[in-house]
């Protein structure tokens, strides 16, 4: 698979095209220092074989913001160095920190916007980025990624909704690009041209008046000209359409743009691959061979391979899929994709992030704060009887499924196919029942359930239950 | 071109694949009766050669709603009959009305939602749709289109955000489909199976928690099963993210979903073609050959042809492009695409709709409420001098363009190309200057201007101005 070809990114070579995009963990404390739990989380990804691990965003400035990592002064270097050493001791995965500056938010719903920053404050941000990347280098990271996506400062300047009227906005593309340009220049000066620096941007903002691929093609060209060693594409995740919960600070992932950024189960797979392909094609047409990464429901191995092999992007970011199963790369490479603990896009992880709690995957065993280690000795779950009988009962526009318990099952994957389709996993649950409210009356569906051990090892599938959902009465005439 | 192949839609055959989607005109009065201006607008599309003309939404119920057409009782039939007769006397274009029910809105920003309707009210809506389509048949329309897209009643029931908890919602796909299903059944019973009935739906809602192509594939299958003669795909245009202007009723096209529905110049061309292709492919995979229409910035002839020839959809809807130039079909067919009055997506038409004023195109001559008739005698605009000199001056992240007046020019089309690109029309204006705020410093751009008569006939292009935009100072190091 092309997915497992190494790739040179500036001075570093990643062993494969699989990236862990930055994901908040809340595994550190208010002081923002790396903890053993933080280290355990990233070492787990390294053990699983990810090519590039982007460590959750770490702040370059002094600001109250809960349990988020910091890189704002040299005191943070020892903790970060321990993290990089442990990851490097584990595998050939490369590790970079995501470097972030964000503006202030208040529980009232108020938020600081780009136009509230003085020129002196902007100058300070420029210096802080350079200093932070220099610290990343000293801490042993293989490179760094500047966070210029979602709801954060660099992105707010890049935004088509940037409200500034001076040279950092003023309704011109160059104005919007000025801050990231100055930041890159400062980063290079302080951390060196030979230190790989990537930039993450939104391929589209997905907000009213926000920019689209029409602009992001040009933004990507500028980043290439600035010497970015990779360009990572995300989308949405903006404050502009966030829904304010009284008493909470705004969470930029709960509006429509948040749906696009961390898509739930009702959004399509590989939903930003097409936009990435447009950006990639534009870069190539302008002579820029800078690697492009893209994320967004790419955890199906065939989607990931299609994106890389088809040249839509060079690297696939798989966030929730690798949270659910850090061994995804090893399992895909060794032909054991059927042992992957598959993300069902329930977004419990997103809800935990939104309420500042430790981010875990709902598919992990109860109480775990890390994915269970793969263990060859783990037995496949076993049904009590030779054949596990799945019952499927149509009931008022829904189909109710029930099945027996299987010994050693941590989760049950529910599969469905309609008359012409292949079975697709439509959910993964810890209980022994499920209700399908997405069926069409008059159609026949086949279901089966697969019990899975915590490490993903599947047991035998249940019997297949075939059910014809009654057509609604108004269809009699059709 | 495949675009000019006829297509059988139920009992009617459209002469080509070009559709005028429903566009509000505000050319009638508060009473909702067809006026001469209404007739003139649609006869103009017929003269221009559109294959299928969908007349602006007409209401099936008694409700205060400004200058919008009605079909709510038999008294409206004579006016509508005059409209269909005049259109049929003009060309072989087919004409169908868009049939709409909408819920109440108030200037306070309050709006009636789907869950406020009693079962008796729902029953009444079902009957009203059937009666309205029966009237459409009596009025001489070639078919009818049910409006189940955007912010209106049928769409609000189909929505993934449908708040009802009974059999018309209840978080199930079948519940959401129940109203449109009952409506189709009633329409068939009252207007006959042989009367072509299409349905317009959103391919995606583009709102928080809204449905995506994951659901619209299934919705399309159900519509096919209900015997829909065509399925027209639109997107967005919802109340849920509309921005309330104090003292005005909500306008469902001014939020992000409105940007997607009537995309401005910063959104990509052909922006919903990919989603339509997914729906079309799903329908075919399930054995349904029902024609699919799609709209969304498809006015570039090569995009329109690509969509049809590539099987992404069977019919292309071109709303603003045909508003700007109703002769688009004739001009494309006769190889005179360079005479098209090209929409520049300035969305003045959208703003007029949003403020309940007569919808015109800003490219039409001042004071016109209809597109000017094409006139072979119209002279191409002429520059005063043999060569019209375009000046392009880079100025603080922008390029300022100026050119002389041309005699007989109604508009000037501004074209731009970067080093590697082909010239693209980036705007069309009535003045003789333009500012480009979308350039990248360090790049060279070529510009020229084409003067156009009101009928689109172009004069000679201006000289080409080539300008290198200075690179920003921070790029010196790059």
């Amino acid at each position: 698979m092309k997915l497992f070809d190494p790739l040179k990114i500036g001075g570093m070579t990643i062993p494969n095209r699989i990236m862990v995009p930055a994901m908040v963990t809340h595994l550190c404390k208010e002081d923002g220092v790396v903890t053993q739990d933080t280290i355990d989380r990233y070492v787990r990804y390294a053990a699983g074989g990810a090519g590039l691990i982007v460590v959750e965003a770490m702040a370059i400035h002094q600001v109250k913001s809960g349990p988020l990592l910091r890189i704002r002064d040299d005191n943070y270097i020892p903790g970060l160095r321990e993290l990089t050493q442990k990851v490097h001791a584990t595998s050939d995965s490369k590790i970079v920190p995501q470097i972030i500056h964000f503006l202030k938010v208040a529980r009232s719903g108020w938020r600081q916007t780009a136009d509230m920053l003085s020129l002196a404050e902007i100058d300070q941000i420029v210096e802080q980025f350079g200093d932070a990347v220099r610290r990343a280098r000293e801490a042993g990271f293989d490179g760094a990624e500047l966070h210029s996506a979602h709801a954060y400062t660099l992105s707010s300047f890049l935004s088509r909704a940037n409200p500034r009227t001076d040279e950092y906005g003023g309704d011109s593309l160059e104005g919007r690009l000025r801050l990231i340009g100055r930041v890159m220049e400062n980063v290079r000066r302080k951390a060196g041209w030979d230190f790989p620096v990537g930039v993450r941007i939104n391929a589209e903002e997905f907000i009213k008046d926000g920019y689209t691929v029409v602009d992001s093609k040009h933004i990507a060209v500028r980043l290439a000209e600035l010497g970015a060693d990779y360009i990572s594409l995300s989308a949405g995740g903006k404050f502009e359409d966030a829904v304010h919960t009284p008493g909470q600070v705004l969470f930029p992932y709960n509006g429509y743009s948040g749906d696009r950024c961390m898509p739930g189960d009702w959004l399509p797979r590989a939903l930003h691959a097409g936009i990435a392909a447009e950006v990639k094609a534009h870069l190539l047409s302008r002579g820029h061979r800078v690697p492009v990464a893209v994320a967004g429901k790419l955890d199906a191995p065939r989607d990931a391979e299609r994106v890389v092999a088809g040249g839509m992007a060079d690297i696939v970011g798989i966030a929730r899929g690798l949270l659910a199963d850090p061994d995804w790369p090893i399992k895909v490479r060794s032909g054991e994709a059927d042992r992957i603990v598959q993300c069902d896009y329930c977004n419990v992880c997103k809800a935990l992030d939104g309420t500042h709690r430790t981010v875990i995957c709902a598919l992990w065993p109860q109480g775990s704060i890390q994915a269970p280690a793969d263990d060859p000795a783990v037995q496949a779950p076993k049904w009590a009887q030779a054949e596990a009988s799945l019952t499927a009962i149509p009931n008022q526009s829904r189909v109710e499924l029930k099945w027996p318990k299987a010994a050693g099952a941590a989760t049950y994957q529910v599969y469905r196919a309609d008359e012409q389709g292949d079975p697709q996993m439509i959910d993964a649950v810890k209980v022994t029942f499920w209700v399908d409210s997405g069926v069409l009356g008059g159609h026949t569906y086949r279901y089966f359930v697969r019990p899975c051990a915590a490490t993903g090892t599947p047991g035998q599938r249940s019997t297949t239950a075939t059910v014809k959902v009654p057509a609604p009465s108004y269809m009699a005439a059709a």
Side-chain angles (χ1 to χ4, degrees), chain A:
Chain A
M1 290 171 90
K2 192 105 171 60
L3 201 53
F4 293 98
D5 284 357
L7 180 71
K8 201 165 176 304
I9 299 181
M12 74 173 156
T13 297
I14 59 172
N16 61 56
R17 311 304 185 86
I18 303 154
M19 174 177 86
V20 182
M23 275 182 280
V24 170
T25 65
H26 297 305
L27 288 169
C28 67
K29 302 207 179 65
E30 298 277 330
D31 60 8
V33 174
V34 166
T35 62
Q36 187 59 45
D37 289 335
T38 311
I39 292 170
D40 292 347
R41 176 70 55 100
Y42 292 98
V43 163
R44 192 69 192 76
Y45 292 125
L52 179 62
I53 299 167
V54 185
V55 177
E56 62 196 279
M58 46 193 77
I60 63 175
H61 57 315
Q62 189 134 13
V63 67
K64 214 184 135 207
S65 71
L68 294 166
L69 289 179
R70 315 294 161 92
I71 192 168
R72 70 166 187 248
D73 67 46
D74 288 0
N75 294 328
Y76 291 90
I77 295 176
L80 294 167
R81 186 176 290 134
E82 193 185 346
L83 170 62
T84 62
Q85 285 172 342
K86 292 281 166 59
V87 163
H88 287 143
T90 304
S91 76
D92 58 355
S93 299
K94 295 295 185 262
I95 181 169
V96 303
Q98 191 180 52
I99 308 289
I100 192 172
H101 185 278
F102 44 86
L103 298 173
K104 292 173 192 154
V105 287
R107 291 183 187 277
S108 63
W110 174 87
R111 64 185 176 95
Q112 190 182 23
T113 50
D115 53 325
M116 297 177 193
L117 290 178
S118 69
L119 293 178
E121 286 170 313
I122 289 176
D123 288 344
Q124 190 183 20
I125 291 169
V126 169
E127 298 298 334
Q128 286 170 328
F129 266 107
D131 293 337
V133 175
R134 187 259 305 159
R135 279 179 210 118
R137 182 167 197 161
E138 289 177 26
F141 284 103
D142 298 296
E145 175 177 296
L146 308 182
H147 196 348
S148 188
H150 309 165
Y152 311 111
T153 310
L154 294 180
S155 175
S156 299
F157 276 71
L158 268 191
S159 176
R160 200 169 164 279
N162 173 340
R164 295 185 71 97
T165 55
D166 65 355
E167 68 264 37
Y168 288 93
D171 284 336
S172 78
L173 184 58
E174 270 298 342
R176 289 154 48 197
L177 284 162
R178 187 168 174 76
L179 179 56
I180 183 70
R182 288 195 57 206
V183 164
M184 280 294 283
E185 192 273 335
N186 194 277
V187 163
R188 291 308 192 185
R189 190 148 40 80
K190 287 178 175 159
W193 271 93
D194 58 334
F195 190 60
V197 175
V199 184
R200 192 174 212 200
I201 60 166
N202 278 344
E204 287 207 23
E205 297 194 270
F206 288 105
I207 53 168
K208 175 177 163 64
D209 300 327
Y211 74 71
T212 69
V213 69
V214 172
D215 279 6
S216 58
K217 289 196 287 192
H218 301 309
I219 295 169
V221 164
R222 168 55 53 86
L223 293 176
E225 291 170 345
L226 288 167
D229 291 296
Y230 71 88
I231 297 171
S232 180
L233 300 175
S234 185
K238 307 294 289 182
F239 279 129
E240 280 79 354
D241 66 351
V243 181
H244 183 231
T245 306
Q248 297 289 324
V249 298
L250 277 174
F251 180 60
Y253 304 102
N254 69 5
Y256 176 70
S257 71
D259 280 355
R260 294 295 303 208
C261 189
M262 284 192 250
D265 56 11
W266 68 97
L267 282 108
R269 287 188 168 272
L271 76 171
H272 301 127
I275 305 176
E278 281 193 67
V279 173
K280 178 73 191 171
H282 185 75
L283 282 166
L284 285 175
S285 77
R286 286 351 185 219
H288 297 292
R289 304 181 62 84
V290 53
V292 170
V294 62
K297 281 191 128 174
L298 287 169
D299 71 304
R302 67 165 175 273
D303 285 334
E305 175 66 11
R306 177 172 59 90
V307 165
V308 173
M312 304 174 84
D314 305 284
I315 303 165
V316 287
I318 304 175
R320 292 167 294 173
L322 287 172
L323 179 72
D325 194 342
D327 295 318
W328 192 102
I330 281 181
K331 288 175 177 174
V332 172
R333 180 160 208 175
S334 61
E336 296 183 287
D338 73 327
R339 286 216 302 125
I340 292 171
V341 180
Q342 282 183 63
C343 176
D344 61 349
Y345 295 103
C346 73
N347 269 341
V348 163
C349 52
K350 179 175 173 177
L352 292 168
D353 177 16
T355 49
H356 311 286
R357 285 176 289 173
T358 302
V359 173
I360 55 110
C361 175
L363 297 175
W364 294 348
Q366 195 72 29
S368 304
I369 63 162
Q370 307 289 355
D374 200 4
D375 178 356
V378 166
Q379 299 281 314
K382 279 221 168 69
W383 302 107
Q385 296 183 308
E387 201 174 65
S389 186
L390 174 69
T391 58
I393 299 166
N395 179 11
Q396 288 187 335
S397 316
R398 294 176 179 79
V399 175
E400 297 182 0
L401 305 178
K402 281 183 197 171
W403 57 91
K405 275 198 174 180
T411 61
Y412 301 88
Q413 296 176 334
V414 182
Y415 288 78
R416 182 183 75 190
D418 68 6
E419 294 95 336
Q420 281 91 350
D422 290 326
Q424 306 285 338
M425 186 184 103
I426 48 174
D427 207 352
V429 294
K430 290 183 168 178
V431 292
T432 56
F433 58 88
W434 198 75
V435 176
D436 188 357
S437 56
V439 291
L440 282 178
H443 286 257
T444 299
Y445 295 88
R446 287 171 291 131
Y447 298 89
F448 63 83
V449 167
R450 242 172 45 136
C452 297
T455 55
T457 300
Q460 274 206 301
R461 40 166 91 167
S462 69
T463 56
T464 294
T466 302
V467 55
K468 176 156 185 181
V469 184
S473 54
Y474 58 77
M475 299 236 355

